Amino acid sequence: MSADRDNLEAWLREHPAAHDDLADLLRLRELYQSVSPPMPEEAAWNAVHARLHKALGQIPRPRPWWAIAAGVAAAAILVALLIPSWWTTSVMVPTGEMPVPSGLRTSQLGETSVSPVGKRGQRVVEPFPVAEPGDVTIISMDARDVAALVVGEPPVGGDLEFARPEDVRLIRCERCPFSGRQARPEPGEEVLMFVAAAAVAPSNE
Amino acid sequence: MATLTAPCPHDASDEQLLACFAAGQRQALDELFRRYRQPAYRVAYRLLGHEADALDAVQEGFLKALTHLHGFQGRSSFKTWLLRVVSNAALDLGRQRGRRDAVSLDAPHPKDLPDVHLLTIDEAGRRLERDELRQLLDKALDCLSEVQRQTFVLFADGELSYREIAEVMQTSIGTVMSRLFYARRKLRHFLNERGLL
């Protein structure tokens, strides 16, 4: 502080006009300090003081270190108990199905609802819908993340169907050279299947 | 561990009182409030121009200052920290409620201000009664921009140094000096036009 004062005094000696400005400023401050604002009554101070105590009393007091340590230990035990349960339900279950968003229009899937259990009985994880697509506005993003950004609706909402069963005509089907089995078309209601016929026994003739 | 249980002495430093308060001793608030309620009120009143509003700002300032002590970190004095929070609270209140006296929209540009000298306190006091003088000085503050008013009030009523004002307003000392320079010229011009200078 004394160094600051020395520097200031040296500078003021070199700039007399600034010295006058400073003197004026100090006189102005003295004028304002001489006419203080009207002070509140003691009752008003007491009211403020009481409100402060009340407001601060509603704020939780800082907890002692042993309480914090006990909380951390309890949290660690809880995590230790929950990890095996989470491991068996989430990691050990095979996931052959893609997760189905619960907010997806189920008519596109040909179903009336989305079951939490997949077609093969595996567990389907439903993400928690936090917003509709129209609710999201991307303001900015890191350029390195652009490649991961998917914008717009998927081109096909339902099952990807290349052809109807009646669109398929079998022109030629060769017998399997290893098993000797012959495949033939088996028209179903929705899906065309090819079923291998029983192997032809070699003829002794 | 002794500081957690031993009562805080009445002549404790601000740092000791804050440590007591942080340890849960609410009585430390009483002493801090007694020490700094008046400078906090003076600053708030000059910025708001109304007693009830100023008391609200003081209450909010103390509350914020004591509940956000992690932002204080002891880099400045508690008074500086408190006046920073109180002045900001007063400005927020002023924006919400409006300063009680209308701000002059035709304040002169600093370059147009004449270079005149202030009267002494005694000379000024002879011309105006104390209350009239106070009202005139408060009215003069309306000529200043918000940052100029905050800077001058912290200097005059908060009795802070340039360096402390720079800490409060999170700016450089040069900016503080510049704001005080223009504030002084505007105030002098306003008071001069009304015969005080």
Side-chain angles (χ1 to χ4, degrees):
Chain A
M1 292 298 287
S2 61
D4 290 342
R5 176 181 292 274
D6 293 342
N7 290 335
L8 179 61
E9 288 178 350
W11 188 84
L12 287 174
R13 279 194 297 274
E14 296 173 6
H15 301 81
H19 192 279
D20 292 343
D21 288 344
L22 178 61
D24 276 350
L25 182 63
L26 294 176
R27 286 212 300 274
L28 192 58
R29 177 168 77 169
E30 195 178 354
L31 179 61
Y32 268 85
Q33 289 176 347
S34 70
V35 190
S36 296
M39 282 294 153
E41 299 288 336
E42 195 61 29
W45 282 125
N46 291 338
V48 173
H49 188 242
R51 287 198 296 269
L52 261 179
H53 265 288
K54 183 179 180 182
L56 289 169
Q58 292 170 348
I59 297 172
R61 292 178 55 179
R63 297 181 178 178
W65 65 269
W66 53 265
I68 296 172
V72 171
I77 292 171
L78 187 62
V79 169
L81 291 174
L82 288 179
I83 281 180
S85 171
W86 170 79
W87 182 263
T88 53
T89 56
S90 298
V91 178
M92 299 301 289
V93 173
T95 54
E97 298 284 338
M98 290 291 290
V100 179
S102 60
L104 191 64
R105 288 176 61 85
T106 53
S107 59
Q108 295 172 338
L109 300 175
E111 299 174 2
T112 55
S113 65
V114 177
S115 170
V117 179
K119 292 179 181 177
R120 298 177 191 171
Q122 289 96 349
R123 184 189 183 92
V124 175
V125 179
E126 292 191 16
F128 182 73
V130 294
E132 293 293 326
D135 298 334
V136 178
T137 302
I138 299 175
I139 298 172
S140 66
M141 65 183 300
D142 195 302
R144 291 169 296 185
D145 297 333
V146 168
L149 178 66
V150 178
V151 178
E153 296 290 334
V156 180
D159 295 335
L160 188 61
E161 186 177 273
F162 292 101
R164 302 285 304 168
E166 57 268 24
D167 296 334
V168 179
R169 183 164 59 91
L170 181 63
I171 298 175
R172 187 165 62 92
C173 183
E174 293 181 356
R175 191 183 300 276
C176 176
F178 305 104
S179 66
R181 302 176 76 174
Q182 175 72 56
R184 58 182 173 78
E186 185 71 26
E189 289 185 359
E190 292 186 355
V191 182
L192 178 65
M193 301 179 67
F194 287 85
V195 180
V200 177
S203 173
N204 294 329
E205 294 181 357
Chain B
M1 294 302 294
T3 55
L4 294 177
T5 54
C8 227
H10 287 291
D11 57 349
S13 66
D14 290 352
E15 290 74 18
Q16 288 173 313
L17 288 171
L18 290 173
C20 291
F21 179 82
Q25 294 186 35
R26 300 294 185 208
Q27 305 91 317
L29 167 65
D30 302 343
E31 180 60 20
L32 287 169
F33 186 72
R34 188 193 63 79
R35 286 183 190 182
Y36 296 115
R37 68 181 190 179
Q38 289 199 4
Y41 173 80
R42 281 201 304 269
V43 167
Y45 184 92
R46 293 287 196 204
L47 293 173
L48 289 165
H50 191 264
E51 180 181 314
D53 291 349
L55 285 173
D56 286 346
V58 169
Q59 177 184 322
E60 189 174 344
F62 265 99
L63 191 59
K64 284 185 177 175
L66 291 171
T67 52
H68 295 78
L69 284 174
H70 57 276
F72 170 46
Q73 296 176 341
R75 285 176 297 190
S76 56
S77 68
F78 177 72
K79 178 189 173 186
T80 305
W81 166 249
L82 176 67
L83 291 187
R84 170 184 176 176
V85 181
V86 167
S87 62
N88 287 335
L91 291 175
D92 286 342
L93 272 177
R95 291 188 200 104
Q96 292 167 14
R97 303 177 185 177
R99 200 169 187 271
R100 295 292 174 156
D101 295 327
V103 175
S104 172
L105 297 177
D106 55 354
H109 192 275
K111 68 181 177 59
D112 299 324
L113 299 178
D115 188 24
V116 293
H117 292 278
L118 286 171
L119 291 180
T120 64
I121 299 167
D122 290 341
E123 290 168 328
R126 280 196 292 271
R127 292 189 186 183
L128 287 171
E129 293 294 332
R130 188 178 183 83
D131 286 347
E132 291 175 342
L133 177 61
R134 178 174 49 76
Q135 289 174 12
L136 187 59
L137 293 178
D138 289 343
K139 187 77 175 174
L141 291 175
D142 288 341
C143 291
L144 307 181
S145 68
E146 190 175 273
V147 290
Q148 287 172 347
R149 190 161 65 239
Q150 186 180 14
T151 305
F152 182 79
V153 166
L154 288 171
F155 174 74
D157 291 289
E159 299 183 5
L160 298 184
S161 67
Y162 287 7
R163 183 180 299 277
E164 288 171 328
I165 297 171
E167 288 176 7
V168 167
M169 303 190 72
Q170 295 180 302
T171 188
S172 66
I173 293 179
T175 302
V176 171
M177 294 173 70
S178 171
R179 287 172 181 171
L180 284 175
F181 175 81
Y182 287 111
R184 176 183 62 84
R185 294 190 68 178
K186 285 183 179 179
L187 291 172
R188 288 172 59 195
H189 178 71
F190 181 93
L191 298 174
N192 182 39
E193 281 188 330
R194 281 144 187 86
L196 188 59
L197 300 178

